[in-house]
Amino acid sequence: MAKIKLLSRELIDQIAAGEVVVNAAGAIKELIENSLDANSKNITIETRGGGKSSIRIVDDGCGIEQSDIPLVFVRNATSKIADDLSAIETLGFRGEALASISFVSHITLTTKTAEDVVGTKVLVEKNEVVQSEAAACRVGTIIEITDLFYNTPARLKYLKKDSAETAAIIDLVGYMALSRPDVRFSLICDGREIFSTDGKSDVLNTAAKIYGRNKITGLMKCEIADEPLFVSGYITSSAYSDDRSALKLIYINSRYVKSEPLSQAVEQVYKELFAKNGAGYILYIRLPAEMLDVNIHPAKLEVKLYNASLITMLIKQGIRSVLREEFIIKDSSPKKLAAEDSAFGNDEYVAQVFETAEKYFVGQPDKPTDELTEPAEATDSEPITFLPENEPPSAPTPEIPSAQSAQNSGGTLKIDSRGILLRLAQMKYIGNAFSQYALIECGSELYAMDIHAAHERVLYDKFLKDYQNRRIALQPLMVPVVISPGGTLYARALAMREELGSLGFEVDDFGGNAIAVRSIPAELSGGNVEQIVLGLLNALERKTAEDIGRRSERLIKEACHHAVRGEADINEAQVRALLTALYDTDMPFTCPHGRTILGRLDLKYFMKAFDRI
Ligand code: ADP
Ligand code: MG
């Protein structure tokens, strides 16, 4: 190996310059940061040839005092001295940007402070002012850079085509402009104005000016104040959570940053709630300076969060509650929501909450439940259905009381709500309450699934499809089940043998007012045969004006209802499988009779009840 030698000063400077500025956009980032640190209210950025030919930044900031001008280009000279790196409030702090840029380009700087009578214009080459003259100009600073990387051919070669470099500049200036909606930015590339913002502090308008109106559709306000975290900004409302080209911007203490943990935290909430990946967000996060290290990346694009897990937790919590608020405001069933809304502030309600477990869950309390608890009771009456006579059974609108219901319009509502089922299938299963409800914790919500109703829905969908496709598999009974249904039903059973057969039930006359059931549909084999058949016989009464399709649906519904068994001892794996199976059904949120399958109880209910909020 050769002898160890010190690198020449020139080489050291070139290496350092390469770290701070990798391309024109990198240089522009540093220059805009300087303009912002100088309290500018108007910043104009002009570039030519992807920034390689020229970059010109005009600001109306405080300007640079004449005696300071030579120092601007000296490495590690800065006016933003922070004795403590943990207390940095400015965007710049290392005093190396202009030194670096001056090393790889030709710079002209024109500047004037409010105290100066006349401005100063200097030419700079490699850290040194080579020419200086008085110049007529306004208060502020103009920096012009030409021939970027002229003396570092390797770096120059590495740069992309002008158009690609221009694209990078547009991206960068967009991020920066949106970091400060209170500052007017104007970007002109090759003589063409790309965008200009109005500096009126309106985030959405600023975003629209930079990215176009369609990029702000579906964004809603998001404010989080949870010591030590403060966030203000915008997030995608649930109805728009599937837009993959959504804006995803995070600013911490006015600095645009790429933060994996934070962006993941936001996306996770959307995935959890909507099983979607398209969340958009423009978040302005404020954190105490000592909670982050901005000095871990040469271009200051990444920051290190101390206690990242706390911050991400607070962000998630905050976003969840914002989305929940949205649900309360926008749900398509205002009656229920009005009741739910006022319930939060109503102590009487909180007391009621403890009365019965069912009341915990926002369901459909006014629907009769006796049929479910007394499945064996066979009467001649019409089975209870909750559907209007003239509508197909899949018609009821899902009323899942969850954040997903935020959408007003029918189409997206169904699809988005459905996602929660797959999500729940992976969340924390707590157990079964009252042998009837499977409890699953998901984020700050507790879901309850009516096991019987869920089962019934899955069974019904499967059985109906098999019937319509004439594919009902028969399960022969080794020992026929003999039933004595009583005079009328016995007669009906024999009269309707064929129809029963088409549903998979083979029955024979057993003599003495009894029938023998020889086979049942395999799908229903878990159920009590006698109860299923009795239920069916009750439902078999021919109704005038009932079309065939509706009749078979009604019969199948009845058969399924009595076929559901074993909800009391359903185990975790079965609950998860049931949730997944529900996902594939036509209408996962109501049983074939229209009863609610899934209920939700918000953490707020508990917190309110236990005096925490
Ligand atoms: P840093 O921003 O880390 O201090 P720079 O090399 O970017 O280092 O800038 C060096 C110094 O030049 C700054 O500290 C600031 O005093 C001055 N300066 C640079 N650009 C401007 C500007 N647009 N307006 C006012 N002062 C500026
Ligand atoms: Mg700087």
Side-chain angles (χ1 to χ4, degrees), residues 297-582:
H297 187 268
K300 297 168 282 181
L301 265 178
E302 283 164 28
V303 293
K304 181 178 160 48
L305 295 172
Y306 298 118
N307 211 341
S309 55
L310 171 76
I311 303 299
T312 51
M313 190 198 80
L314 293 178
I315 293 252
K316 280 194 199 168
Q317 254 176 26
I319 290 189
R320 267 194 213 106
S321 61
V322 170
L323 287 169
R324 212 166 10 246
E325 288 305 310
E326 185 212 11
F327 153 68
I328 287 168
I329 296 159
K330 283 198 192 161
D331 188 272
S332 53
S333 55
K335 226 172 80 191
K336 182 161 84 191
L337 286 178
E340 190 180 75
D341 205 0
S342 62
F344 286 131
N346 181 345
D347 285 345
E348 211 177 305
Y349 178 83
V350 176
Q352 274 175 24
V353 154
F354 286 94
E355 268 178 32
T356 60
E358 283 96 321
K359 280 188 187 156
Y360 266 97
F361 300 99
V362 188
Q364 294 168 317
D366 43 355
K367 285 185 181 167
T369 52
D370 48 343
E371 198 196 358
L372 279 177
T373 46
E374 303 289 334
E377 206 175 273
T379 64
D380 267 331
S381 66
E382 164 74 2
I384 303 164
T385 68
F386 302 106
L387 306 175
E389 273 307 306
N390 50 358
E391 269 182 44
S394 57
T397 330
E399 289 213 332
I400 170 177
S402 78
Q404 292 83 331
S405 313
Q407 303 90 306
N408 292 316
S409 53
T412 44
L413 174 77
K414 198 169 162 185
I415 297 156
D416 277 356
S417 309
R418 205 176 275 268
I420 192 71
L421 294 163
L422 292 184
R423 187 69 205 148
L424 288 179
Q426 293 167 0
M427 300 306 282
K428 187 169 151 200
Y429 166 71
I430 294 174
N432 299 338
F434 316 113
S435 310
Q436 205 175 347
Y437 303 105
L439 303 180
I440 299 123
E441 189 183 319
C442 179
S444 57
E445 291 172 320
L446 181 62
Y447 283 83
M449 175 177 68
D450 184 321
I451 302 163
H452 185 110
H455 234 134
E456 221 182 317
R457 164 56 68 191
V458 171
L459 213 54
Y460 172 77
D461 270 38
K462 178 106 187 35
F463 194 12
L464 184 64
K465 252 179 224 135
D466 285 354
Y467 173 80
Q468 285 163 346
N469 298 330
R470 301 185 191 287
R471 259 200 345 235
I472 294 179
L474 295 193
Q475 163 96 48
L477 301 174
M478 305 306 266
V479 184
V481 176
V482 178
I483 305 171
S484 306
T488 357
L489 291 188
Y490 168 70
R492 197 183 285 170
L494 295 185
M496 307 273 180
R497 264 189 68 187
E498 214 174 295
E499 192 170 3
L500 280 170
S502 74
L503 291 168
F505 295 88
E506 291 177 346
V507 288
D508 282 337
D509 189 353
F510 195 70
N513 273 2
I515 53 168
V517 184
R518 302 201 179 275
S519 83
I520 60 162
E523 212 53 70
L524 306 187
S525 61
N528 177 316
V529 176
E530 185 171 359
Q531 280 174 15
I532 298 174
V533 173
L534 281 176
L536 257 185
L537 291 180
N538 272 307
L540 263 176
E541 192 187 349
R542 197 165 275 288
K543 296 235 153 74
T544 45
E546 183 180 48
D547 71 44
I548 292 258
R550 190 148 172 75
R551 177 175 173 81
S552 50
E553 277 169 12
R554 187 166 61 81
L555 295 175
I556 288 169
K557 217 180 274 182
E558 191 54 34
C560 290
H561 177 62
H562 293 293
V564 173
R565 272 290 151 268
E567 59 230 65
D569 41 52
I570 184 170
N571 64 24
E572 174 167 357
Q574 289 166 322
V575 166
R576 293 190 193 283
L578 192 51
L579 282 160
T580 315
L582 258 186

Side-chain angles (χ1 to χ4, degrees), residues 29-35 37 78 80 91-98 300:
K29 174 176 186 290
E30 295 292 338
L31 299 174
I32 294 177
E33 286 188 354
N34 284 343
S35 296
D37 281 344
T78 172
K80 305 161 193 173
L91 294 168
F93 52 88
R94 293 177 182 143
E96 59 184 10
L98 282 173
K300 297 168 282 181

Side-chain angles (χ1 to χ4, degrees), residues 230-243:
F230 290 89
V231 179
S232 87
Y234 290 82
I235 56 174
T236 297
S237 94
S238 52
Y240 293 87
S241 60
D242 206 12
D243 175 7

